[in-house]
């Protein structure tokens, strides 16, 4: 037991390393071809990592946030897209674990995910809502004990390769746009009609195409809690922490490449400190502060978890939003400095010091859930927040 | 006080429904109260009642219904008057 829970790094670490080795082998091809990282995801399934967070009595291993975040960091050093697919899946599972355990159908869903190592995707973005996932236009249409749902989903990451999708919608046809629920669909419950193709600067392997989602299922598949509570009490925290952990992984690999470059230089010219070494030191300082930010956020979340009021408080929302904004900005500083260290060999593809993929993947961080939007929401919250003056809050 | 709170909710809550149709214990989030609007409402309440919401009250539950808002404001007004 340490400050961030019952975290023993070795619990998932060895398996994460084996998956990372597979992911690293295919990372350049996944990036170049903009294809799903199927080898890495197969390895995650073979290592039974997709059910890691699911409670033991439902066939998982009850791994906590810290162990999963650590896995994201390990995978992020190998292949950003594989790490992002893993993180997004775990964020979906976390919503079921945190909010679905009182519902017999959702307990069964977790058992299926663990037993069959099912990959779960997310459809929270919709055309016409201006990127704000806390609004929906589409609505659940109930008929008896079944419902249908059609959504213009502008993005469903790895939608084609997922075994299930969790979809947000208005609770009913009359509900305001903010009164949302989240429903779980397994393959067979839905169809996807592709409307756009994911051809992007980076994070190309997440295959975040747009689709028209059409689903039909028993009403029992709707999580019996408002989506607003799911988002505020667990989803945002899991998302921001797991993303930050994998972004930290991308930046860590960049620093490792820069360090290898400086070491090679130092060997060539003994008795002198290579010029790039100073930039490496700066990059390391920033990298360390990113790590501290992620660890502090995990600790903050674990401490708040016991109290639903703390989880839905303004100060928690502010803190957890700032983690995402801060880490997504700072990884760019780190990788940019590493590029200065490695010079033209970092700029070129196909060298041991190449940083193009890292830089392109890292640029997604500020944009996927726009920092501008998060800062805007946070600025509104700051109008009423009272800052505690002590170092320990 | 409840009438004042209803007036402020109508002007700052941005609700798509008429506040008069809402019961005191109706779920305001279900009625369409957004996070943005709840902050605007909070500022208006602070101004009108000369109170400050402490950190412990800045959560979702405080603004869940007209009754919960009334309870919070009542408590803070009583604290202010006791301190005066």
């Amino acid at each position: 037991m340490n400050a961030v829970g019952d975290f023993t790094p070795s619990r998932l670490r060895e398996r994460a390393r084996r998956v990372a080795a597979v992911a690293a082998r295919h990372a350049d091809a996944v990036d170049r071809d903009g294809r799903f990282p199927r080898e890495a995801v197969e390895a995650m399934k073979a290592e039974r990592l997709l059910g890691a967070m699911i409670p033991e009595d439902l066939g998982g291993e009850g791994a906590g946030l810290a162990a999963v975040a650590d896995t994201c960091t390990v995978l992020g050093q190998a292949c950003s897209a594989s790490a992002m697919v893993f993180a997004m899946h775990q964020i979906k599972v976390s919503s079921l674990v945190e909010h679905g355990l009182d519902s017999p159908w959702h307990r069964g869903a977790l058992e299926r995910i663990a037993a069959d190592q099912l990959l779960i995707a997310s459809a929270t973005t919709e055309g016409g809502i201006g990127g704000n996932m806390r609004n929906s236009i589409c609505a659940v249409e109930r008929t008896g004990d079944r419902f249908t749902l059609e959504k213009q989903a502008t993005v469903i990451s790895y939608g084609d390769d997922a075994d299930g999708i969790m979809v947000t919608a208005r609770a009913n046809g009359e509900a305001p746009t903010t009164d949302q629920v989240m429903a779980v669909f397994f393959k067979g419950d839905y169809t996807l009609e592709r409307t756009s193709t994911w051809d992007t600067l980076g994070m190309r392997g997440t295959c975040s195409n747009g689709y028209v989602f059409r689903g039909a299922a028993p009403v029992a598949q709707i999580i019996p809690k408002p989506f607003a509570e799911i988002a505020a009490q667990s989803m945002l925290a899991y998302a921001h922490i797991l993303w930050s952990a994998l972004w930290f992984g991308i930046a860590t690999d960049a620093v490792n490449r820069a360090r290898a470059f400086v070491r090679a230089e130092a060997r060539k010219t003994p008795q002198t400190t290579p010029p790039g070494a100073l930039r490496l030191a700066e990059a390391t300082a920033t990298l360390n502060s990113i790590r501290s930010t992620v660890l502090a956020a995990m600790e903050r979340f674990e401490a708040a978890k016991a109290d639903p009021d703390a989880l839905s408080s303004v100060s928690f929302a502010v803190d957890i939003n700032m983690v995402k904004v801060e880490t997504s900005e700072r990884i760019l500083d780190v990788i940019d400095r590493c590029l200065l260290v490695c010079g033209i060999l970092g700029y070129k593809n196909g060298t041991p010091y190449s940083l193009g993929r890292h830089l392109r993947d890292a640029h997604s961080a500020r944009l996927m859930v726009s920092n501008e939007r998060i800062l805007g929401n946070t600025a509104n919250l700051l109008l009423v927040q009272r800052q505690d003056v002590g170092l320990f809050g | 006080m409840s009438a004042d709170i209803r007036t402020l909710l109508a002007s700052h809550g941005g609700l798509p429904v008429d506040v008069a149709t809402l019961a005191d214990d109706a779920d305001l989030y279900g009625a369409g109260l957004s996070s943005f609007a709840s902050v605007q409402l909070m500022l208006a309440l602070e101004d009108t009642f000369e109170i400050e919401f402490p950190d412990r009250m800045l959560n979702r539950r405080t603004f869940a219904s007209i009754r919960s808002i009334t309870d919070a404001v009542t408590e803070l007004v009583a604290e202010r008057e006791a301190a005066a």
Side-chain angles (χ1 to χ4, degrees), chain A residues 230-284:
Chain A
I230 298 173
Q233 294 179 11
S234 78
M235 201 179 86
L236 283 178
Y238 275 96
H240 290 181
I241 290 169
L242 294 185
W243 290 340
S244 296
L246 86 88
W247 295 333
F248 170 70
I250 299 172
T252 299
D253 192 56
V255 169
N256 284 340
R257 289 180 184 218
R259 188 183 297 117
F261 183 89
V262 168
R263 197 173 292 150
E265 288 288 293
R267 282 203 201 96
K268 273 190 255 170
T269 53
Q271 311 306 325
T272 58
T273 305
L278 269 61
R279 300 287 89 78
L280 177 64
E282 287 175 338
T284 303

Side-chain angles (χ1 to χ4, degrees), chain A residues 10-292:
Chain A
S10 60
R11 188 165 177 191
L12 302 177
R13 178 69 72 77
E14 280 314 305
R15 288 181 283 159
R17 283 235 171 92
R18 289 196 290 269
V19 175
V22 176
R25 268 203 298 283
H26 301 281
D28 284 333
V30 163
D31 173 53
R32 186 184 58 237
D33 302 338
R35 70 163 176 85
F36 181 67
R38 56 176 182 274
E39 300 87 351
V41 172
E42 284 308 314
M44 290 171 203
K45 293 183 176 191
E47 298 284 359
R48 306 199 68 72
L49 287 179
L50 296 188
M53 290 180 97
I54 295 170
E56 287 176 32
D57 63 333
L58 298 176
E61 50 192 296
L65 172 64
V68 173
D70 184 61
T71 304
C72 288
T73 299
V74 172
L75 295 176
Q77 291 171 65
C79 168
S80 321
S82 302
M84 185 51 85
V85 171
F86 178 78
M88 287 194 278
H89 165 84
Q90 299 295 352
I91 293 160
K92 293 299 107 187
V93 171
S94 74
S95 294
L96 288 173
V97 170
E98 298 285 351
H99 306 281
L101 291 183
D102 295 335
S103 150
W105 190 88
H106 295 94
R107 291 180 71 86
L110 285 166
E111 280 179 327
R112 277 181 71 184
I113 293 168
D116 301 336
Q117 292 292 297
L118 302 179
L119 180 68
I120 306 301
S122 171
T124 51
T125 312
E126 185 175 12
I129 58 167
N132 181 357
M133 66 147 193
R134 293 289 295 275
N135 278 300
S136 285
I137 295 168
C138 66
V140 163
E141 310 274 355
R142 289 170 206 249
T143 319
D145 59 359
R146 289 185 63 82
F147 74 102
T148 58
L149 173 53
E150 177 170 331
K151 181 164 188 160
Q152 307 295 321
T154 43
V155 172
I156 303 180
S157 292
Y158 55 94
D160 287 336
D161 295 278
D163 303 304
I165 304 181
M166 288 166 64
V167 188
T168 49
R170 285 185 296 137
N172 57 67
E174 278 73 52
T177 57
T178 51
D179 181 13
Q180 296 164 288
V181 290
M182 181 172 237
V184 183
F185 296 87
F186 283 118
K187 223 164 200 164
D189 297 333
Y190 62 86
T191 59
L192 293 177
E193 180 192 327
R194 193 191 287 194
T195 52
S196 67
T197 302
W198 184 250
D199 179 6
T200 49
L201 180 69
M203 281 291 178
R204 296 171 53 78
T206 59
C207 300
S208 306
N209 302 318
Y211 302 91
V212 180
F213 172 96
R214 293 184 184 90
V219 168
Q221 294 183 209
I222 301 171
I223 301 177
K225 239 190 178 185
F227 176 66
E229 281 177 32
I230 298 173
Q233 294 179 11
S234 78
M235 201 179 86
L236 283 178
Y238 275 96
H240 290 181
I241 290 169
L242 294 185
W243 290 340
S244 296
L246 86 88
W247 295 333
F248 170 70
I250 299 172
T252 299
D253 192 56
V255 169
N256 284 340
R257 289 180 184 218
R259 188 183 297 117
F261 183 89
V262 168
R263 197 173 292 150
E265 288 288 293
R267 282 203 201 96
K268 273 190 255 170
T269 53
Q271 311 306 325
T272 58
T273 305
L278 269 61
R279 300 287 89 78
L280 177 64
E282 287 175 338
T284 303
T286 308
L287 188 71
N288 286 349
S289 95
I290 296 172
R291 186 209 298 264
S292 303

